[in-house]
Amino acid sequence: MSTGKKKLSLAFWIFLALIIGAGIGWALVYVPGGAAFATKFIKPIGTIFVNLLKFIVVPIVLFSMVCGMISMKDIKKVGSIGWKTLVYYIGTTIVALIIGLVLANIFKGGFPQLSTEGLGTWDKATSADFMTTLVDIFPSNIVAPFANASMLQIIVIALLIGAGIILTGEKGRATAELFESLNEVFMKVMMFIIKISPIGVFCMMTWVVSNQGPEILGDLAKVLGVAYLGYILHAVITYSITVKTMGGMSPFKFFKGMIPAMVFAFSSTSSVATLPINKECAVNLGASEEVSSFVLPLGATINMDGTAVYMAVNTIFLSCCYGMNLTIGQLVMVVVTATLASIGTLIYGIDRLFDMGRTTINIVGDAACAVIVSRLEAKKEAKKAAMVK
């Protein structure tokens, strides 16, 4: 019970830092030189916090996934959990994409007609073919993926090492213990970073709000509003239905249990940084330790439901800015391949506000998957046990 209270207390301080930072940032908008002061003296402290989060991403994902696989002790079980996880992530991402496209088309008449002067023309980008993308997922050496933080390659490395340890059996026990020890060490480092997160959140929010001001928020409020409506609908509809039907859990209980992780994800905008809190929430909701250790790090890297909504809404918005009418096929292609090169230019100013919502949706989806896969695996094991009897 004490651990739960501690986490909720941290969530409270993070949320308080978020509100105070936004308030001070808003006040600095009206102070001569306030935005410059925030950029020079406040943002660097927030950047240190962000850098620490980036530093911890790779080891946390690697060691968590390897330890999750080791705990299963069976390659077949890894495969069973793996395909269920991928099907869920892909399925919910497709639903998120559809929700985003539908909402954006409904509300596109209210999107602001911002000037695109100076942003260049929309040139058809050359997209990498499937086989090239597939080849790039597999690392050619052990060092480059860690130096470049190539997360898909890190996942491949984790899967290979985990499989190797399991198949080696008793002879691989020393390596397994090394990874388990490293996982514990880096989790402690992560928890230290999380404890100072209210300071980082306060500094980043102060800087973001002071530099954006009310003008850009007013211009793009409708776009932001549609994106958040998509986030909310996806959570309420998709996750509620899947958690209830496949996870056997009340949606109210699920979302209530996810509050600490949601608050932290919203303020930190980092799925990986939220991993320890998200795992604790998922386990408290009934997800197994071994499933959570595998599903959550994988989801933090590849599950992008919130990003799918975000890309759909901003694709429609940018097509309006350029006076383009895209067909459904073109819309899907643009969102999936991210070929609209000027996305970063137009929405960079408020991207963090979009990111808060999409990160929150992403981690909720990860936890929902952990709860669902845990229940499906438990039912499968119960069936096996019944057949043996």
Side-chain angles (χ1 to χ4, degrees):
M1 289 296 289
S2 60
T3 305
K5 288 182 180 177
K6 187 176 181 182
K7 296 304 177 191
L8 284 171
S9 177
L10 177 62
F12 167 78
W13 285 111
I14 292 170
F15 185 72
L16 185 63
L18 189 76
I19 299 299
I20 295 174
I24 292 177
W26 194 271
L28 287 175
V29 171
Y30 302 99
V31 176
F37 173 83
T39 300
K40 187 173 182 179
F41 296 104
I42 298 177
K43 183 191 174 187
I45 300 172
T47 302
I48 292 172
F49 170 66
V50 173
N51 287 345
L52 288 173
L53 292 179
K54 290 178 180 177
F55 143 75
I56 206 71
V57 163
V58 171
I60 286 292
V61 170
L62 176 67
F63 298 137
S64 294
M65 285 197 65
V66 171
C67 289
M69 291 180 68
I70 292 170
S71 66
M72 296 180 209
K73 302 176 182 177
D74 184 357
I75 287 293
K76 289 183 179 180
K77 189 169 185 179
V78 174
S80 175
I81 291 172
W83 77 259
K84 290 183 179 74
T85 300
L86 288 176
V87 167
Y88 184 82
Y89 285 157
I90 293 171
T92 57
T93 299
I94 291 172
V95 173
L97 178 59
I98 293 170
I99 289 174
L101 287 173
V102 170
L103 286 176
N105 275 286
I106 290 173
F107 292 101
K108 69 179 182 180
F111 286 169
Q113 301 296 308
L114 301 184
S115 172
T116 58
E117 186 179 351
L119 293 177
T121 58
W122 178 39
D123 296 321
K124 186 177 180 180
T126 55
S127 56
D129 61 85
F130 173 76
M131 294 309 296
T132 301
T133 303
L134 180 64
V135 169
D136 289 342
I137 292 174
F138 295 88
S140 58
N141 67 72
I142 193 76
V143 177
F146 295 93
N148 301 325
S150 303
M151 298 313 299
L152 288 176
Q153 293 186 351
I154 296 296
I155 288 174
V156 170
I157 291 172
L159 291 173
L160 292 173
I161 292 175
I165 292 172
I166 292 173
L167 293 173
T168 306
E170 192 59 37
K171 289 184 179 179
R173 189 61 217 158
T175 306
E177 290 175 353
L178 173 63
F179 272 88
E180 288 167 353
S181 177
L182 286 169
N183 187 49
E184 288 297 320
V185 169
F186 276 91
M187 279 295 181
K188 290 295 182 185
V189 174
M190 170 65 86
M191 291 312 297
F192 168 73
I193 296 171
I194 288 174
K195 283 180 180 177
I196 64 171
S197 59
I199 298 172
V201 168
F202 165 78
C203 293
M204 292 307 293
M205 279 304 299
T206 300
W207 169 69
V208 167
V209 176
S210 67
N211 277 264
Q212 288 164 3
E215 291 81 10
I216 192 169
L217 292 177
D219 287 339
L220 297 180
K222 289 182 180 177
V223 183
L224 189 65
V226 172
Y228 270 82
L229 178 60
Y231 299 151
I232 294 168
L233 286 178
H234 185 60
V236 171
I237 297 172
T238 309
Y239 298 148
S240 292
I241 291 174
T242 55
V243 165
K244 178 66 177 177
T245 57
M246 293 188 283
M249 181 179 296
S250 159
F252 178 78
K253 178 184 177 182
F254 173 74
F255 285 109
K256 183 180 178 182
M258 286 299 299
I259 288 175
M262 291 168 69
V263 171
F264 185 82
F266 185 80
S267 53
S268 70
T269 66
S270 172
S271 296
V272 175
T274 313
L275 266 176
I277 296 177
N278 201 20
K279 183 180 177 183
E280 182 169 336
C281 289
V283 171
N284 288 340
L285 286 168
S288 73
E289 283 275 354
E290 60 184 20
V291 170
S292 298
S293 295
F294 180 81
V295 169
L296 295 181
L298 183 63
T301 308
I302 69 169
N303 183 34
M304 297 295 163
D305 291 2
T307 305
V309 174
Y310 162 83
M311 288 296 295
V313 171
N314 283 306
T315 296
I316 302 294
F317 162 59
L318 289 168
S319 69
C320 291
C321 288
Y322 279 96
M324 300 166 59
N325 290 312
L326 303 178
T327 65
I328 292 297
Q330 288 172 326
L331 286 172
V332 173
M333 185 61 66
V334 168
V335 173
V336 171
T337 61
T339 55
L340 203 51
S342 57
I343 277 181
T345 307
L346 264 176
I347 62 170
Y348 177 75
I350 62 165
D351 185 64
R352 188 172 180 85
L353 298 180
F354 282 104
D355 201 10
M356 290 172 173
R358 67 178 180 249
T359 302
T360 305
I361 291 302
N362 289 342
I363 66 100
V364 172
D366 298 344
C369 184
V371 169
I372 289 166
V373 172
S374 294
R375 183 168 186 258
L376 294 176
E377 286 297 305
K379 288 174 71 175
K380 181 180 174 182
E381 293 299 322
K383 264 188 186 177
K384 280 185 181 178
M387 288 175 67
V388 170
K389 291 179 180 179

